[in-house]
Structure formats: C-alpha cells, structure tokens
Amino acid sequence: MACSLITYAQTGNISGKVTDETGQPLPGATVFIKGTNQNTIAGPDGSFKLPVTSGNVIVVIRMIGYQPIERPFTINGALQQDFQLSADTRGLNEVVVVGYGTQKKSDLTGSITAISSKDFNKGTVTTPEQLITGRVAGVQISSNGGAPGAGSKIRIRGGSSLNASNDPLIVVDGVPLDNAEVKGTSNPLSFINPNDIETFNILKDASATAIYGSRASNGVIIITTKKGKVGDQLRVNFSTINSLSQKEGIVPVLSADQFRQVVNEHGTAAQKALLGTANTNWQDAIYRTAFSTDNNLNLSGALKSLPYRVSVGFTNQDGILKTSSMRRQSASISLSPHLLDDHLKIDLNVRGAITNNRFADQEAINAAVAFDPTQPIHTTNAFGNYFEWLDPTTNNTAPNTLATRNPLSMLELKNDKGEVKRSLGNIAFDYKFHFLPELRANLNLGYDVSKTEGRTLVPANAGNLFNRGGMNKPYSQTRNNKLLDFYLNYAKDLKGISSRIDVTGGYSYQDFIRTEPTYADLNAKGDTINAAGVPFKTQNTLVSFFGRLNYTLLDRYLLTVTIRRDGSSRFRQHWGTFPSAALAWRINQEAFLKNSKTVSDLKLRVGYGVTGQQDFAGLLTDYPYLPRYTLSDPTAQYQFGNSYYLTLRPEGYDANIKWEETKTYNAGLDFGFLNNRISGSVDYYVKKTKDLLSVIPVAAGSNLTNQLLTNVGNIETKGIEFTLNATPISTKDFSWDAGFNFTYNTIKITNLTKVQDPKAQGIPIGTISGGTGNTVEIHSVGYAPFSYYVYKQVYKDGKPVEGQYEDLNKDGQITQDDRYRYKSPNPKFLLGFNSQFGYKSWNLGFSLRGSIGNYVYNNASSNNGAYRNFSYQNYLANMSTSINETGFAVNQYFSDYYVENASFLRMDNLSLGYNFKHLLRDKVNLRVSATVQNLFVITGYSGLDPELGNDKVGTTNVGEGIDNKFYPRPRVYSLGVNLDF
C-alpha cells in the first residue's frame, strides 16, 4: 500500500546528464531533492532519471572534487535538464579537519596534509597507518616487521624525544587515543578496521598542533571515519581481499655442506664428531606460505534527515612465521541526524572489535640463524621428538642449557594467545543558536575501553623450559579512558571591511585508567614457580582550556592564533601554557594574479608555536614526582621465623619534573598551476626541544636509584619538505595522476647534562645479542640520537683485520676512548612516489618509497660471524656468511664493519584493477583487482631487510637500527572483489 501511495504521488520526473566543465561525464554524482529522501546516482555516462513529486523543488547535485550546485525547478510532468559541475579548484575548497573544528584548505595557515580514501594504498591492509605509508612528506611509517597486525614506527618530522614517546597523537573521530601498550595485541591501532576510514589529516607544525598542547610535539594524526550523507540513497558495499604471503629472502648463513667443510677444516676431533648427516635449512623450516582474508560489508544512506552507516568486518591473517596469526571481528555504526531545521547536528560513532592473536616466539628467528644445519628437525626423544643438544652431565636426559634451542620446537610447543575486546565511541552535539546563527556550541563525549585476557602455555617436555617443567602463565589488563570536550565557536563575515572572523574557545577533560592484575607463574603441572606479584593500577588525568582565532582580511591575508593551558596529574607543577601563531598570504588573490589562467594557487605561510610532551607511559610510573614506596617482588621477601614477608622499598623521584617543550618555526609555500593540475608545497622547519624527559644515570647516594627519569637535555631538528602532485594527462579514455614527496631531516642533541661536563661521553644504549650488557649506540651532544658507538676497523688487502682498530686518540693503545660516533639509523632523505593510470575501465597504480642515509648495525652477522660459534663444548652453532670475508675467530661486536649503509628503494605495492559496467541496469558496480605488496627492495645492505622499526617506547637500553630477530616482511599477492549497489 505504501509503495502504491508513493507511486501515485510521484507525478513527474527529472532526467539528464551530469558532466564536468569539459563535457566529460561524471558517473557517481549524487542527485537529490533538497529536504526529501528522493535521490539517485548518475550512471557510467553521467545520465540519471529521478522520479519527483510535482511542484516546486530544489535539485542538488554533489560530487567529490567539484563544487555542489542547487537549482530550483517547477515539476509538472517530465523535465529534461543537464548539469555541469565546476572543479572545486582541485581541492582548495575542500574541508580539512583540524583540532576542534574544520577549515577550508585555502584558509589553512599551518602545515597540514589531508589524505582521502581515494588516495590510500591498495592491497592487504590490516592496520590504519599502512594506508598512508610513503604518501606524506615528513611522515616516516615503518612497520615493526611482518607479524600479523604488527604495529608501526610513525615519525612526523623525526620525532622530538629521547626516552619519552616519539609517536604522534592520534585522534579518531574527535577522541584522542592513549599511546600506552594494549596487552594482547602488537598494535594499539589494530582494532580500527581500515575499510571504515575516510580521511587522514596530518598536522605537522606547531601552529597546527598547539591546540593539543602537551601531547603535540610529535605531530597529530586526525582520523575521520566514513559516514552517511544527507540525500544519499541506500548503498550496500561488500569487499573481499584474499592474499598469499611468502617470505622474501633469509639471513645469509652457511649451508649444511659449507658448515661441514668449515668444521672439518678448523674444528677439533670432538667438534667434528658432533656433526650430523642431515641437510636442514632451519629458516625454511620455521616459515610458511600464509593465507589471509579480509571481508567487509557496509550499508550507508539516509532516512530523511538521518544519515547512517553500518559496517561489519572479518579479518583472518596468518603470519609467515609458523604459529603466528591474527583474527579480528569488527563492527561500527555512525548516525548523523540533523534536527531543528539543521540547527542541531548530532554525530554518534561507535565501533568495537574483538581481536585474537597468537604470538610466535620471535627468538626462534635467531635460533634458526644459529642452529647447526647438519642436524635433523625431529628425532625420537623425550622433548616432543624435536632434536635438542643434550647435557652429558645429566647422562643426556636433559637439554644443554647453553646450546641453541630447536627453532621449530620453540614455535610449535608454545601457545601464546591473547584476546582483546576494545570499543571506541563518541557522541558530538553541534548546536547553531537560533537567535545568533553565527554562534555554535559543541559538546563531545567519548570513551575508549578495552579488556585483555591472555595465556602462555608451554608443555613440560619443551626443550627451552624443560628444567622448570614448562609454563602456564595468564595475564590480563583493563583500560578505561573517558573524554569530555566542550567549545563555543563564533564565525562571521564582516562585509563592511571584507573580512571574516572565526573564534573558538573551549574546555577538555580526559581521564586514563589502567589496571593489570598479577598471577602466579606456574609450570605446566600447576606448581608455583614464582608467586603472584603486586596488582598494578594507575590513573592520569588531563584538564585543559584552549582557544583559537582565525582572521581573514580581503580573502588573502590570514592570521591564526591558538593557545592551550594544560593541567596534568603527572607533574607537581600541573599547569603549562602552549601558544602558537601563524600568518598566510594568498598571493594569487592579489590583483596582479587573480585572473591568471596559469597560477591557480600561491600561498605563503609562516608560523611559530610551543608544544609539549608528557607521554612517558611504561618508563617508570605515572607519578615520577612523588616520593613513594613500592612492594618488593616475590623473590625479594624477608624471613621472620618460618614466615616470609614482602618488603617496602623507597623509589627514586624528581619533585620538579615537568613536560618537555618544543618550539617550532615553520615557513611554507603552497602552489598550484593550470587549475591545480600541478600543485604542491614546500616547507622549511626548525624544532628545538628542551627539558627532555630522559632516563639518566645519577651519582650513588644522590637519589634512591641509579637511573632517574628527569628533565635534562635539548634536541634540535631541521628539515625541508617538498610535495608535488600532477595530472599530466586527462582525456575521456585515459588519465594519469602522479605524486612525489621529498623530505630532508637532520636531528642533533645539543645538550645532555644539567651541568656542563666536557668529559661526558653520553648515555650508552642499543643492547645487542652477544656478550652481557653490550651496547653499540650512544646519545651524545653534537650528534644524532642513537649514533653508533664503535671502533674504526683496520683493513689489509680489503679485508678486516681481527682485533685491530685505529688508535683515534693517539695514546698508543686501544681502549674504550678509541670508540667513535659513526653514522646513525636516522635517514637524511625520505622519498615517496605514487602514480595512477586509468584507461577506460582499467586502472593501474603503484607506489615507491625510498630512504637515503640510514645505517643498520648487522647484529645477525656480528653475533654469528666467528669460528667461535662451533667452539663451545658439546654443541655446534652455525655462522653468518660474513665469515668468508672476515675469517674472525672471535666475535668483533664493536667493529664498525657491522655498521652498514641501509639506504633502500622499495616498491610497496603494484595494483591492477578493472571496473565492470552496466550490471543490472547500472545499479551494480563491480571492481576486481590484483595487488602485489613488497614487490622488490633495492639496497646494498647485506642483511635480511634494510628497514627496521624495532624501537620500543618505554625502555632505556633498546636502540634503533639494530638487526636482531627481525620478523621479515613478506611479499603479498592479493586478489580483491568490490561489489557496490
């Protein structure tokens, strides 16, 4: 009956074609009647036909990248009308999300880059940051390895800290996330389904980030998810991508025959007797070809004034390292009702995910590199029938505790699983006052909660835990973060003086609570090995007041001033102030360029600001300024009679600790030519960070610890960014879009002590495998952070001479004082290039990424590159192929021979797709695509992969750029289908 009534009411229709200014059709343009749910989508040739109720109507045409139009018509029967959309000056009128609001791209004064879904990287993408890898100048994104759902090292303009976090602040739909570890997952962003993301907005300089105050020194990434739009009809989209992942290369070690030859030539009779008869490639044994599938279903549209989007997703990713896997089930809902004649807009976003991970023991990677290749994988024994080196002192009834463990046993006899349930959501009310429409009030209430449960199980017969009878160790964590933001915004065009004012002022409250119970450490039988420790709970709170003024004069002179007053519970001096200011001049709006057909955009920007850093979660405590006592570990109890009691011990503290402060200077030029078919920007920046949050050694007796978190040191960063985007060809059948970005960045420590000490060497870091407590990096004044601290190798006839190094201080002997600072892991130059070709229904795209000037310490080679590897009693260990060049008898851990140039050029992805047309009367769109990721890497580095992302926030001895037990990135082959109707 309802359908009949609707049909009766629709006494007319409007039909026509939607084209651009050149007459090219615009398929996908939305055509709707304003104030109703009558709408349709233009077909492949731009044509449309929309049944319309007779009478006076307003027809609205919208298309991304074009200026929308609204035209009134009187419908009385059939109306034929074509529409022509004007290009949106290639994005200058695009709305960009900034902190606490939006701005037109043409009005920006800061360094902000926006990346939308049409520009995202293609292929199997399981975590959000992979969508923009290599796409943005000044932003370095390196995955922490090839593990399923692995996190990434994200650096915006090189970071600004030593021991505190260098990760940017990430804001999802207005909710700032906590960067602290989420137990049970390797990536805190893995709960977000990449298919739900619409745009990334990257805020890089202080004039853009200072609105976030004490968390903004490392930049800000604002993620906006997809939502329904007013006027949209129901759209159903289903996509699936299925992939095969294969290992790409191995760590170069001796084969079984090569190893036998070396042992027979250089070994003793006892060592020769240990050789086996097998030919085992241990690295092949621990890796596999892995299958992954990623499936998403979403519905979007609008019910009158209620736009909506609902999505569900399922991802199942196996890792190439055996037993590793990640399974994610996600769902989200977005509602955006417009009420009170569009005076009240509500945005409700709720998303949740259940992620199940099985973590492989990455120590197996090192074991596979070092294990004797002449031994079999399996043999009949009491250790699960995995070959193990035995201890003769136990009559060969127990494994040799000094020997390398069987790599496959370490994987297959360990079950380390974690389940994370996480939900993130917010509801934002934006009310435009009836009596003063220029004034808006915005209230944003958000939450971020998660619950983790996990357990590590190792059977009693596993070789690596045989002596303790295996392991049964549970863990759990809960996180409860809350957000309240409120601000007022007043925006008005002052026509008398041809200017515009936009003022925002607000309040923010965010609370972070984390709880971690402790459990007894049990063996496989349930016997207690270590009693449960002390449960952990912590809370930190941020309270802030912020304001921003945007002023535009004559549509070409722009001013932005921001200020934020932050209060943090992490510091005794709770409050800090973070101001910024920026100016911009739209030169192309001056009379001498305004009518230019060549110059479509030319804007000069300068800015200055102060931002902070207070994210040191995991370093020590959320309260480093408080004198406090903590309970001892269960292994440090005190005996009274027959009873044992936990002791209380005082902890070190710094009563005057505060946040880091970074001053940033930025100058930039945005340009566009030929209606922005050629566009780009260039920026020069200087960042100066003081009062670094550093963990430093302190004199004995001066505090209650020998390592103290305090404010000491300064860092200076300088750089240049350049971005160029172009559309060289755009015809009816063929198009070509290309993008290039370039970054030059240098970072130097300018101070590291509170009292100047010319004899101070610096802070040693960068622990390596081999020896006990050996480090090969150092933080020193005048050098880049994580500079390698090694000896200068002496060569003869092109080969390194064992144990001989240059006497750099000329004192006639080789001592610690002869070590020098040599290169660093930080690249000098970053390059990105992407290109998209379209021919009729075909499209081809690829992206390349380069890094120049980054160095890597090859720990896999230094730890296995000596004849000493098979000289230990009762077992043999394999060697790196570098032994053929060095001939080292003993490991030379501190030789600069192992610091290698790891510059590289990587093709991240190559994608080919085809769009099927005219399916089911143009109601269905079907796209089929094939993608290869990590297609090739060109590098001179001799190790497995020149790109490492294995730094760990919250540690004081783990460095960067150290190649050790690195989970290799696989080559991934994907087939995808996208169905839209």
Side-chain angles (χ1 to χ4, degrees), residues 286-555:
I286 65 172
Y287 295 116
R288 64 185 176 186
T289 297
F291 174 76
S292 301
T293 182
D294 182 43
N295 306 277
N296 295 279
L297 175 67
N298 63 76
L299 293 82
S300 64
L303 297 173
K304 295 187 178 180
S305 60
L306 176 60
Y308 63 87
R309 185 178 186 273
V310 179
S311 72
V312 291
F314 173 74
T315 301
N316 192 2
Q317 183 182 16
D318 290 333
I320 60 170
L321 184 61
K322 289 181 178 179
T323 72
S324 60
S325 65
M326 187 271 285
R327 186 174 73 250
R328 178 181 62 212
Q329 302 163 76
S330 63
S332 70
I333 183 170
S334 173
L335 302 175
S336 306
H338 294 201
L339 308 174
L340 305 179
D341 294 328
D342 276 353
H343 278 261
L344 176 61
K345 297 179 182 179
I346 302 174
D347 275 323
L348 171 67
N349 304 284
V350 177
R351 67 190 63 259
I354 300 175
T355 305
N356 296 93
N357 287 284
R358 181 172 178 181
F359 302 101
D361 188 346
Q362 291 188 211
E363 289 292 344
I365 297 174
N366 278 0
V369 171
F371 211 90
D372 177 2
T374 70
Q375 306 301 333
I377 297 175
H378 296 285
T379 188
T380 302
N381 61 20
F383 316 115
N385 294 327
Y386 292 91
F387 175 87
E388 295 284 0
W389 293 106
L390 303 179
D391 184 358
T393 63
T394 65
N395 294 321
N396 294 329
T397 60
N400 185 333
T401 57
L402 299 178
T404 309
R405 297 271 70 83
N406 186 305
L408 200 59
S409 168
M410 297 173 68
L411 297 173
E412 295 182 342
L413 295 184
K414 182 177 183 179
N415 193 342
D416 183 0
K417 291 184 176 181
E419 180 182 77
V420 180
K421 298 177 181 178
R422 187 171 183 182
S423 180
L424 173 78
N426 73 305
I427 183 168
F429 303 89
D430 191 277
Y431 176 67
K432 181 170 60 175
F433 288 86
H434 283 73
F435 64 89
L436 186 61
E438 296 87 359
L439 181 64
R440 293 169 37 245
N442 187 285
L443 174 65
N444 183 25
L445 305 172
Y447 72 91
D448 178 10
V449 298
S450 66
K451 182 177 182 180
T452 298
E453 291 184 350
R455 185 180 296 270
T456 303
L457 294 172
V458 179
N461 63 343
N464 60 329
L465 293 178
F466 184 81
N467 290 335
R468 57 166 276 165
M471 176 186 290
N472 182 351
K473 190 173 183 179
Y475 60 89
S476 65
Q477 180 193 71
T478 58
R479 296 158 58 85
N480 187 357
N481 302 337
K482 300 181 290 291
L483 170 75
L484 183 153
D485 285 338
F486 176 78
Y487 66 85
L488 293 172
N489 173 260
Y490 179 81
K492 185 175 179 60
D493 291 318
L494 307 176
K495 297 182 179 180
I497 54 176
S498 187
S499 62
R500 177 177 175 81
I501 188 170
D502 188 328
V503 182
T504 299
Y507 165 84
S508 177
Y509 168 88
Q510 194 163 13
D511 194 36
F512 306 88
I513 301 175
R514 178 163 49 106
T515 304
E516 295 180 11
T518 60
Y519 302 90
D521 182 11
L522 310 176
N523 65 15
K525 292 182 180 180
D527 300 328
T528 300
I529 304 299
N530 293 304
V534 180
F536 173 83
K537 182 177 182 179
T538 186
Q539 177 179 8
N540 89 84
T541 304
L542 281 170
V543 175
S544 310
F545 300 90
F546 57 87
R548 177 173 57 217
L549 165 68
N550 291 315
Y551 180 70
T552 303
L553 178 63
L554 302 176
D555 199 32

Side-chain angles (χ1 to χ4, degrees), residues 19 37 64 81 96 117 282 285 365 370 372 414 441 534 536 613 709 761 767 792 899 905:
T19 64
N37 61 352
I64 294 176
Q81 179 69 47
V96 176
S117 55
W282 288 100
I365 297 174
D372 177 2
K414 182 177 183 179
V534 180
F536 173 83
Q613 167 64 294
L709 176 65
Q761 294 293 315
T767 300
K792 192 168 187 177
V899 179
L905 176 68

Side-chain angles (χ1 to χ4, degrees), residues 157-161 662-663 665 684-690 692 713-719 745-751 783-785:
R157 294 184 170 180
S160 60
S161 297
T662 299
K663 295 180 180 178
Y665 307 83
Y684 171 76
Y685 59 87
V686 177
K687 297 197 302 181
K688 297 182 178 181
T689 303
K690 68 175 184 177
L692 290 172
N714 301 66
I715 285 180
E716 181 176 276
T717 304
K718 297 180 180 179
N745 188 82
T746 62
I747 183 169
K748 181 174 65 174
I749 299 171
T750 56
N751 178 38
Y783 297 88

Side-chain angles (χ1 to χ4, degrees), residues 710-745:
T710 186
N711 295 106
V712 56
N714 301 66
I715 285 180
E716 181 176 276
T717 304
K718 297 180 180 179
I720 298 173
E721 297 171 358
F722 175 72
T723 299
L724 181 66
N725 297 299
T727 304
I729 301 175
S730 180
T731 66
K732 179 180 179 181
D733 292 330
F734 183 72
S735 64
W736 175 25
D737 294 308
F740 171 76
N741 63 76
F742 163 87
T743 304
Y744 167 75
N745 188 82

